[in-house]
């Protein structure tokens, strides 16, 4: 196929959103740098092939796949339940939300009902996950900015408490493997709610502390404001979701849109940015943490007694009827979707993860072109990705 | 000039104060008179070469522990009591590590770069007064000598970056050279006020000029408006000059891996590390000499404590301040750094020169007296403070930087 | 004013620096191995096999049904079924594993095996200090290493173990009741048959044999 | 938002002659899909984005449908010549035959579309858009929808990588996850692992057998 043929779709007059082309005076004077896969700032094994004109980026190509393990193929070879622990390992910062997204898709496929108590537990664990993910994401962003780890350590101090809660609940700190089709695996242990309430009550103080350290900092503002700007039109067209999308001002939060789970019972607001730059993404993460704390404060006292698993759900011999379903939730990194096709057997015929981390990287090139090489690292950090999910 | 101003020169305190000088003399007297100056010189050199690297070792562990505490961690605590022997472990590790020279690197220059750096930095200590009568080489143009020697470290950094044949090294070296040359201007200009006031380029004379007390408070330059501004500018420029956070772009690990010493390992890397910390300490030492009264005591009633103890105490405080900044601040971007140097630091330090001159003339013009002093003080402070606020605001506005508010969707 | 945010940040780190010396809450470091955190009850890492009684191999609850082997996501369980049978906890003759290996270098601690096991035979351990110098053999745990007593299970997961025991007792009671009912039914039937035949002798014999079979099942 | 069936009518009204079909989904999720012919896909996509309001392509993925071999028992009646009572006659005879029929498989590209323009006020199920290739071997080209929804850019690269669907009109169609020199498409259902597997240190059973074969092969190659 010739290039001309390849490009035919683009030339056909459709309004497309493409990255800018940067004119270079002397092509042979460009400095080509491969940032990664061995690079201190890449969040894992990820490579950006960057061409620099001085310190200005004129070309950038992301290269993926160093962590590819064909998660989808593995899942198609085992039962529905056996894929659940593997979802923990997608975005290993947020195993609870990964579990939920997968369980949600299977529940849609098999028509399972989730008991109310389980829904509450899901909301609580998901919001705790969101808090710790956003805190760590800010920490990593600051690390990228050269803050020698202080904000990251503060974030990890709080994250530690949340992970201890997860361990007390599910037995494991990060690889929770907690949710099941039609509910959750085990009920809350004794005293868990009280401990969680105490920790949630302390969270606003921690967020204040983090803001005192960072929000007004002139260096952070100088580095983050007006850098890595993303337009709302491009963001929507490129399927960018989560904080990245809302930082551009588009009001789209799957918790509000789909009313999945029981999110319509809680009052919370969706913070929106205006400029779509790194600072907006940082601030939105802070504000979303505050909103998550609000949800937690509502959900924790309301939690009812009752069963935690749909009686129709069973660990062995689970065979949904033929059909397909796409389920999605608002994971901390963006919209996490699972697409399943059942052929009536015990294994899914098709199992697909819609990874927010990967799709949010679609516009990395657009945001970085023309920027300083130091900003590339920042922009990349502000997307908030986990390579386990990008490469699957 | 009264070197002994405010100093109770009696008995054991004076002996303790001069103990190192006395030891040097006693040892030198054991040799024939022809050799005596040489022996004394060698003893001084040995002292510097022994003491400052020891402080460097201590600093590395203090830095890690201090950063740890700021981040709610413990820091190194496994080697020796409280991890105090950590630098020994680091030294053994760096000595036993394989020394790698990239195949395409220029081996000779690659080897020379860290050596040149350490030698140049050590030369700077030659004229640093670390205590009363404790200067290795008392020359009249000591400050000039220090800045001249300090400027030559850029050479070694570029040698390292260029000879490694690595893109990150080269970018890091170019950043470092650009940054150091830019910040040398405000560094020098901010130091000039102290020289103007003293009327001498000799570090000892500058320290002596800051001796003496009004009541219990000393006559340090930092307690005058121009001195404070000069000191603040000096600190910022010194941070940039020594590649410390928030100006650590040349080795910004998130962008350039390790900057100009990316391709260094083992002992050569340790030499670079040593050079950096020695550079930081020497520039802190000159900051103390120029603005913080050198080895002078901060209060008249504390003058019995030996002068060298004061100097090293101040040095550790300065180091702690550097660590504190490192634990708090993210780093700037190259263009912002340059903007800051040329559009903020330079005008401010030039204005400071004018204010310092005005201070001098106002002093002569208004004469003595508390009222006159207060008028002089307030006028200078207002000019400097007002300019600082206006210039800062203009800078933020020009770059469209400021706090934001956010809207919510229900 | 320029520098305000920086000063605020400096104050914050200074607060934390000072706080780390006085406040437990700020300095959360645990100096393992000298200090250890209290064990969290639900913690799981690698599976073990539960046995009842004193003899580990005789008391294994595992009946070698191989469901866990099939369901294990990373496929780290290897089971060989026995040729003969032995009675399990309700007295039913069952197979038992002649080989039960778990490769803990592959195991990902997901506890799917625990969930799918119909016999409450495999549970999650909390022992995490498993490091060994033998990378190949040392991390394959065989059934002798895996077998741990029910008392141990009670010790590490008291709540869960109590639930499991209650469930097993209930099941056992159910089985016994069923056997008893079956025996009674058989006896009654035999008696009816005997009555039809008119030989009291046969009745006694049938009832005896039925009672025996019920006993055997129990 | 309109349901898939309503959209089908609307599209057929707006673009007469467009090749579209509705594929119903029997599962409780009831997410029905529109199957569009490859030649009409681009204009349907543009219509969906610009007119129908589906401005957000959430998910794009491939599905591999293998060739389906169905065996059927068919009764056929033929006239055969037979000697009946010594006289050759043509008689109807019913024979039961097994007929094997191969339903050609295909590769399918599936797109899940939502509308962000609608905002949070109108919850709606995804609109599922499907395209099918002619077969699984040589005619695997489909038009790329990435000019319409940039979100499909990486996902189509992934489909190309893992399923081997060639998207015409994609701006940069390279492998995404596997390395460029890799030849097969691992997500296809008839994919066979190449023998360059890094065997775990303690292989068992089937893996052990394969590991031994692999080692023997390496040894043989070494001997040569």
């Amino acid at each position: 196929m010739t290039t001309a043929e390849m490009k035919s779709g683009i030339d056909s007059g459709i309004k497309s959103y493409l990255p800018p082309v940067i004119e270079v005076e002397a092509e042979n004077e460009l400095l080509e740098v491969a940032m990664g896969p061995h690079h201190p700032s890449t969040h894992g094994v990820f490579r950006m092939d960057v061409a620099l004109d001085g310190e200005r980026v004129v070309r950038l190509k992301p290269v993926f796949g160093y962590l590819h393990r064909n998660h989808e193929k593995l899942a198609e070879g085992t039962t529905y339940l056996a894929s659940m622990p593997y979802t923990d390992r997608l975005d290993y910062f947020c195993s609870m939300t990964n579990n939920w997204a997968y369980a949600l898709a299977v529940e849609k496929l098999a028509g399972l009902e989730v008991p109310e108590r389980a829904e509450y537990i899901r909301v609580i664990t998901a919001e705790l996950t969101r808090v710790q993910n956003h805190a760590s994401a800010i920490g990593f962003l600051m690390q990228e900015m050269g803050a020698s780890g202080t904000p990251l350590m503060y974030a990890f101090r709080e994250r530690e408490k949340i992970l201890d809660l997860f361990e007390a609940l599910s037995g494991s700190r990060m690889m929770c493997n907690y949710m099941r089709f039609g509910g959750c695996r085990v009920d809350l242990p004794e005293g868990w709610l009280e401990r969680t309430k105490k920790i949630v009550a302390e969270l606003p103080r921690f967020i204040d502390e983090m803001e005192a350290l960072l929000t007004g900092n002139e260096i952070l503002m100088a580095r983050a404001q007006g850098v890595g700007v993303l337009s709302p039109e491009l963001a929507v067209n490129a399927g960018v979701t989560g904080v990245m999308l809302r930082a551009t001002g588009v009001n789209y939060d799957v918790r509000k849109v789909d009313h999945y789970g029981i999110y319509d019972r809680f009052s919370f607001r969706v913070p929106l940015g205006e400029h779509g730059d790194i600072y907006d993404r940082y601030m939105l993460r802070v504000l979303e943490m505050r909103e998550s704390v609000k949800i937690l404060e509502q959900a924790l006292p309301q939690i009812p007694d009752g069963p935690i698993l749909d009686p129709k759900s069973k660990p062995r011999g689970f065979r949904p009827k033929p059909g397909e379903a796409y389920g999605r939730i608002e994971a901390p990194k963006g919209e996490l979707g699972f697409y399943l096709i059942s052929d009536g057997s015990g294994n899914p015929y098709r199992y697909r993860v819609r990874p927010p981390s990967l799709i949010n990287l679609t516009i990395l090139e657009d945001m970085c072109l023309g920027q300083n090489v130091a900003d590339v690292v920042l922009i990349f950090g502000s997307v908030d990705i986990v390579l386990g999910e990008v490469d699957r | 000039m009264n070197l002994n101003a405010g100093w109770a020169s009696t008995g054991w305190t004076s002996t303790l104060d001069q103990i190192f000088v006395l030891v040097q003399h006693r040892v030198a007297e054991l040799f024939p008179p022809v050799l005596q100056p040489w022996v004394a010189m060698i003893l001084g050199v040995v002292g510097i070469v022994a003491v400052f690297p020891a402080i460097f070792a201590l600093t590395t562990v203090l830095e890690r522990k201090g950063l740890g505490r700021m981040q709610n961690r413990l820091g190194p605590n496994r080697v020796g009591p409280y991890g105090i022997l950590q630098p020994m472990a680091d030294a053994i590790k760096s000595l036993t590590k394989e020394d790698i020279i990239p195949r395409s690197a220029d081996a000779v220059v690659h080897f020379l770069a860290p050596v040149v750096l350490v030698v140049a930095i050590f030369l700077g200590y030659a004229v640093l007064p670390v205590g009363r009568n404790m200067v290795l080489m008392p020359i009249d143009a000591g400050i000039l000598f220090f800045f001249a020697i300090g400027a030559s470290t850029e050479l070694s950094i570029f040698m390292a970056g260029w000879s490694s044949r690595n893109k990150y090294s080269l970018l890091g070296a170019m950043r470092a050279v650009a940054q150091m040359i830019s910040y040398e201007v405000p560094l020098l200009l901010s130091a000039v006020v102290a020289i103007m006031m003293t009327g001498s380029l000799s570090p000892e004379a500058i320290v002596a000029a800051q001796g003496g007390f009004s009541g219990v408070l000393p006559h340090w330059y930092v307690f005058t408006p121009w001195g404070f501004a000069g000191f603040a500018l000096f600190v910022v420029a010194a941070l940039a000059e020594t590649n410390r956070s928030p100006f650590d772009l040349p080795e910004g690990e998130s962008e350039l891996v390790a900057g100009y010493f990316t391709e260094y390992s083992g002992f050569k890397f340790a030499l670079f590390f040593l050079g950096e910390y020695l550079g930081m300490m020497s520039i802190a030492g000159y900051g103390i000499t120029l603005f913080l009264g050198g080895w002078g005591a901060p209060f008249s009633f504390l003058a019995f404590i030996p002068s060298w103890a004061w100097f090293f105490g101040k040095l550790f405080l300065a180091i702690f301040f550097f660590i504190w900044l490192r634990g708090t601040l993210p780093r700037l971007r190259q263009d912002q750094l340059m903007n800051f140097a040329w559009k903020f630091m330079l005008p401010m330090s030039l204005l400071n020169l004018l204010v310092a001159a005005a201070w001098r003339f106002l002093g002569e013009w208004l004469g003595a007296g508390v009222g006159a002093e207060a008028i002089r003080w307030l006028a200078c402070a207002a000019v400097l403070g007002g300019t600082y606020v206006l210039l800062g605001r203009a800078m933020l506005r020009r770059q469209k930087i400021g706090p934001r508010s956010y809207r919510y969707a229900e | 004013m320029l520098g305000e945010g920086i000063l605020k940040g400096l104050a914050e780190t200074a607060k934390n620096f000072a706080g780390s010396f006085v406040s437990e809450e700020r300095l959360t470091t645990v100096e393992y191995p000298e200090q250890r955190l209290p064990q969290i009850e639900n913690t799981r890492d690698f599976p073990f096999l539960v046995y009842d009684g004193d003899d580990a191999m005789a008391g294994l609850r595992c009946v070698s049904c191989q469901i866990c082997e099939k369901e294990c996501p990373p496929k780290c369980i290897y089971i060989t079924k026995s040729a003969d049978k032995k009675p399990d906890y309700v007295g039913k003759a069952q197979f038992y594993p002649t080989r039960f290996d778990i490769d803990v270098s592959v195991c990902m601690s997901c506890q799917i095996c625990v969930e799918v096991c119909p016999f409450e035979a495999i549970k999650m351990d909390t022992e995490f200090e498993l490091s060994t110098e033998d990378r190949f053999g040392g991390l394959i745990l065989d059934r002798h290493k895996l077998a741990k007593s029910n008392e141990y299970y009670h010790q590490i997961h008291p709540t869960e173990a109590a639930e499991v025991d209650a469930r097993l007792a209930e099941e056992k009671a159910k089985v016994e009741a069923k056997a008893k009912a079956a025996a009674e039914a058989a006896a009654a039937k035999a008696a009816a048959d005997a009555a039809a035949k008119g030989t009291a002798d046969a009745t006694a014999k049938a009832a005896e044999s039925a009672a025996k079979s019920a006993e055997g099942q129990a | 938002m309109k349901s898939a069936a309503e959209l089908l009518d609307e599209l057929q009204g707006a673009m007469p002659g467009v090749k579209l079909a509705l594929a119903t989904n029997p599962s409780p999720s009831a997410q029905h899909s529109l199957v569009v012919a490859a030649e009409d896909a681009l204009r349907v996509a543009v219509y969906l984005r610009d007119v129908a309001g589906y401005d957000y392509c959430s998910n794009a993925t491939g599905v591999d449908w293998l060739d389906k071999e169905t065996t059927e028992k068919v009764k056929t009646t033929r006239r055969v010549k037979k000697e009946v009572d010594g006289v050759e006659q043509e008689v109807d005879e019913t024979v039961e035959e097994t007929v094997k029929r191969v339903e050609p498989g295909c590769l399918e590209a599936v797109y899940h579309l939502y509308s962000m323009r609608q905002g949070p006020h109108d919850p709606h199920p995804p609109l599922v858009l499907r395209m099918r290739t002619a077969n699984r071997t040589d005619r695997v080209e489909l038009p790329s929808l990435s000019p319409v929804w940039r979100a499909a850019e990486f996902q189509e690269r992934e489909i190309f990588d893992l399923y081997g669907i060639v998207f015409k009109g994609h701006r940069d169609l390279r492998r995404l996850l596997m390395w460029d020199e890799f030849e097969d498409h691992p997500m296809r259902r008839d994919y066979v692992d190449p023998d360059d597997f890094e065997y775990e240190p303690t292989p068992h059973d089937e893996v052990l057998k394969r590991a031994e074969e692999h080692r023997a092969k390496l040894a043989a190659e070494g001997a040569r």
Side-chain angles (χ1 to χ4, degrees), chain B residues 8-339:
Chain B
S9 60
T10 46
W12 60 273
T13 48
S14 80
T15 318
L16 199 61
D17 188 48
Q18 292 300 304
I19 184 132
F20 297 111
V21 182
L22 291 174
V23 168
Q24 191 190 24
H25 282 301
R26 288 285 140 74
V27 174
E29 276 163 17
L30 301 175
F31 289 86
V34 192
L35 290 178
Q36 274 180 15
W38 293 96
V39 171
M41 187 65 87
I42 286 167
L43 280 175
V45 169
V46 166
I48 285 175
V49 171
V51 168
F52 282 96
I55 296 179
F56 153 71
L58 196 58
T59 308
T60 55
V61 70
L62 283 183
E63 168 148 31
R64 286 156 75 179
K65 286 189 89 71
L67 275 181
R69 287 289 176 173
M70 273 172 218
Q71 297 168 2
N72 299 318
R73 297 184 287 116
L74 283 172
N77 64 344
R78 294 278 130 178
V79 193
Y82 298 102
I84 207 80
L85 294 180
Q86 186 66 38
M88 301 298 291
D90 290 343
I92 293 167
K93 181 189 165 211
S94 64
L95 276 170
T96 51
K97 227 174 163 178
E98 189 188 354
D99 176 34
I100 297 166
I101 302 169
R103 196 179 298 153
S104 51
D106 186 328
V108 179
V109 183
H110 190 262
F111 168 74
L112 279 178
V115 179
V116 169
L117 178 75
V118 172
V119 168
I121 299 264
F122 265 126
L123 281 178
Y125 284 99
V127 290
L128 181 66
V130 296
R132 196 189 314 274
N133 304 328
M134 285 165 79
V135 186
L136 181 67
M137 202 172 62
I139 57 174
D140 283 345
I143 297 286
L144 191 64
F145 173 80
F146 166 71
F147 283 123
I149 285 294
S152 70
T153 55
E154 272 121 77
L155 176 70
S156 74
I157 282 168
F158 200 73
M159 278 162 76
W162 178 81
S163 67
S164 297
R165 256 194 106 108
N166 176 313
K167 287 161 186 170
Y168 293 121
S169 300
L170 191 63
L171 278 175
M174 292 200 302
R175 278 185 181 188
V177 171
Q179 171 181 334
M180 289 168 90
I181 289 177
S182 309
Y183 276 87
E184 218 133 77
V185 180
L187 187 77
L188 265 167
L189 286 178
S190 58
V192 161
V193 284
I195 296 162
M196 261 169 68
M197 284 298 164
T198 315
S200 167
L201 274 169
S202 156
E204 285 173 295
I206 292 171
V207 173
Q210 296 176 69
F213 297 90
S214 321
V216 293
L217 292 174
H219 294 161
W220 295 358
Y221 286 155
V222 74
F223 296 127
T224 58
W226 55 269
F228 182 77
F231 178 65
L233 290 167
F234 188 88
V235 168
V236 174
L239 284 170
E241 196 72 358
T242 51
N243 302 334
R244 289 287 302 186
S245 176
F247 303 109
D248 53 349
L249 294 91
E251 59 221 54
E253 81 283 342
S254 62
E255 302 138 30
L256 297 181
V257 187
Y260 50 85
F261 48 69
T262 304
E263 294 290 359
Y264 282 88
S265 66
F267 200 64
K268 285 190 223 159
F269 176 78
L271 277 183
F272 262 116
F273 210 57
L274 173 72
E276 286 229 332
Y277 276 80
L278 287 180
M280 178 177 99
M281 285 188 277
S282 86
I283 216 155
Y286 282 96
I288 291 164
T289 304
L290 287 167
F291 298 102
L292 295 180
W295 38 258
F299 300 107
S300 58
F301 53 85
L302 289 177
F304 64 91
I305 295 172
S307 57
W308 45 269
W310 281 119
F311 179 82
F312 285 108
K314 287 174 190 174
L315 189 64
F316 272 110
L317 270 182
I319 289 168
F320 179 77
F321 181 69
F322 281 22
I323 295 170
W324 188 14
L325 282 180
R326 190 178 161 199
T328 310
L329 299 179
R331 82 171 66 87
L332 278 163
R333 200 172 59 208
Q334 186 70 12
D335 55 328
Q336 291 163 346
L337 181 95
M338 290 307 202
N339 263 335

Side-chain angles (χ1 to χ4, degrees), chain C residues 20-190:
Chain C
S20 72
F21 287 99
V22 289
S23 143
E24 275 289 305
E25 189 201 349
R26 285 213 189 275
L27 193 66
T28 50
T29 312
V30 178
E31 286 181 84
Y32 178 83
E34 291 92 25
Q35 292 174 10
R36 274 158 199 270
L37 286 172
Q39 190 91 54
I40 296 176
E41 195 185 321
N42 270 353
T43 305
R44 59 179 150 98
D45 44 39
F46 296 112
F48 71 95
L49 296 172
V50 189
Y51 68 83
D52 296 306
D54 297 326
D55 184 1
M57 286 307 107
L60 277 186
R61 288 181 188 169
C62 177
V63 301
S64 200
C65 67
Q66 295 177 311
I67 291 177
C68 53
E69 189 180 19
K70 280 187 207 88
E71 291 279 343
C72 175
K75 305 272 178 267
C76 70
I77 304 179
Y78 307 95
I79 302 174
T80 313
K81 213 180 204 163
S82 62
D84 57 329
K85 288 187 177 187
K86 62 174 190 184
D88 70 352
Y89 64 98
V90 290
K92 213 154 110 196
Q94 295 276 24
F95 292 105
Y96 60 93
T98 54
R99 180 181 71 145
F100 196 113
D101 291 352
I102 293 181
D103 189 344
V104 291
S105 67
V106 176
C107 176
M108 60 184 197
S109 311
C110 64
Q111 83 163 14
I112 296 279
C113 50
V114 176
E115 274 165 73
V116 297
C117 181
F119 300 94
E120 311 282 1
I122 189 165
K123 294 290 166 200
M124 297 308 275
D125 206 345
T126 52
E127 174 63 43
F128 55 89
E129 284 158 326
L130 291 165
S131 63
T132 165
E133 283 168 10
D134 178 7
R135 175 183 163 202
F136 301 106
L139 292 171
I140 295 184
L141 304 184
D142 61 9
R143 63 188 175 130
H144 297 280
K145 278 191 208 150
L146 286 170
K148 286 183 182 160
S149 67
N150 195 22
E151 285 74 51
Y152 174 77
Y153 180 39
H154 271 275
Q155 202 183 317
I156 56 172
H157 299 306
T159 325
E160 194 188 300
E163 276 169 27
V164 166
D165 272 9
R167 205 150 55 221
L168 285 178
E170 194 184 319
E171 219 165 282
K172 195 172 173 179
K174 223 187 266 169
V175 169
E176 271 170 7
K178 216 173 167 186
K180 214 169 152 195
E184 271 165 14
K189 202 176 170 217

Side-chain angles (χ1 to χ4, degrees), chain A residues 24-239:
Chain A
V24 188
E25 276 174 31
E27 190 70 29
N28 55 352
E29 281 176 20
L30 293 183
L31 186 63
E32 299 212 351
V33 185
M35 293 181 87
H38 294 261
H39 192 277
S41 77
T42 47
H43 291 235
V45 277
F46 175 75
R47 191 171 101 216
M48 287 180 274
D49 283 341
V50 185
L52 301 177
D53 181 8
E55 285 213 12
R56 192 176 61 124
V57 178
V58 294
R59 274 198 293 277
L60 183 140
K61 289 277 169 229
V63 180
F64 309 94
Y66 293 94
L67 217 57
H68 182 51
R69 54 208 183 273
N70 221 337
H71 171 71
E72 294 174 8
K73 186 93 178 169
L74 285 176
E76 284 169 22
T78 75
T79 57
Y80 283 87
L81 178 63
S83 298
M84 187 57 94
Y86 282 123
T87 62
D88 292 336
R89 284 139 178 97
L90 285 172
D91 172 0
Y92 40 75
F93 261 77
C94 318
S95 58
M96 284 291 189
T97 47
N98 296 348
N99 284 178
W100 192 358
Y102 180 44
L104 189 81
V106 176
E107 281 150 16
K108 279 196 173 171
L109 183 68
L112 294 172
E113 291 289 324
V114 184
E116 200 167 313
R117 185 174 172 83
E119 289 280 26
Y120 271 93
I121 298 176
R122 284 180 176 191
V123 167
I124 291 166
T125 52
E127 294 309 316
L128 284 172
T129 305
R130 196 179 315 276
V131 171
Q132 59 98 358
N133 177 75
H134 282 350
S136 319
I138 293 170
F140 284 126
L141 177 65
M142 289 300 135
Q143 189 79 345
E144 237 93 88
M145 223 178 263
S148 64
T150 310
L152 183 64
M153 285 298 153
Y154 293 171
F156 270 31
R157 190 185 71 212
E158 298 312 304
R159 179 166 180 258
E160 205 63 12
K161 296 176 190 164
I162 293 173
L163 292 188
D164 280 347
L165 286 179
F166 285 173
E167 185 177 2
L169 178 60
S170 73
S172 188
R173 296 156 62 77
M174 289 170 79
M175 305 296 135
C176 296
N177 181 21
Y178 178 64
M179 291 179 199
R180 288 292 173 264
F181 316 131
C184 301
R185 200 185 70 219
V186 288
D187 207 344
L188 302 178
E190 215 174 302
W192 193 85
L193 275 178
E194 282 65 46
R195 268 179 70 198
T196 312
K197 275 177 198 160
K198 224 161 91 191
I199 286 167
V200 168
E202 280 167 13
L203 280 174
R205 210 181 51 139
F206 153 69
I207 303 170
D208 289 343
E209 207 176 284
M210 199 146 190
E211 277 217 77
L213 180 64
L214 299 171
T215 302
N217 190 310
E218 281 83 358
I219 298 179
L220 168 66
M221 287 200 268
R223 285 297 306 271
Q225 293 190 349
V227 174
V229 177
L230 182 63
S231 73
E233 295 80 27
L234 175 63
V236 171
N237 192 260

Side-chain angles (χ1 to χ4, degrees), chain D residues 86-106:
Chain D
V87 185
E88 202 171 283
Q89 279 182 316
E90 285 205 342
V91 188
D92 284 348
E93 195 186 46
T94 312
V95 190
E96 203 171 302
E97 281 180 346
T98 336
V99 179
K100 273 191 188 168
R101 230 186 318 168
V102 178
E103 216 174 277
C106 65

Side-chain angles (χ1 to χ4, degrees), chain A residues 377-389:
Chain A
V377 172
L378 268 194
I379 294 167
F380 178 63
S382 73
V383 181
D384 184 20
I385 62 156
V386 158
L387 262 296
E389 187 178 77

Side-chain angles (χ1 to χ4, degrees), chain D residues 75-121:
Chain D
K75 280 186 183 168
T76 43
T77 321
R78 278 179 295 188
R79 289 192 81 85
V80 277
K81 283 179 181 164
K82 245 188 182 174
E83 259 180 45
V84 185
D85 309 331
V87 185
E88 202 171 283
Q89 279 182 316
E90 285 205 342
V91 188
D92 284 348
E93 195 186 46
T94 312
V95 190
E96 203 171 302
E97 281 180 346
T98 336
V99 179
K100 273 191 188 168
R101 230 186 318 168
V102 178
E103 216 174 277
C106 65
L107 297 170
E108 195 177 49
V110 186
Y111 298 80
H112 286 84
L113 310 174
Y114 285 95
S115 174
M116 277 195 187
R117 212 185 292 169
Q118 294 294 322
H121 312 296

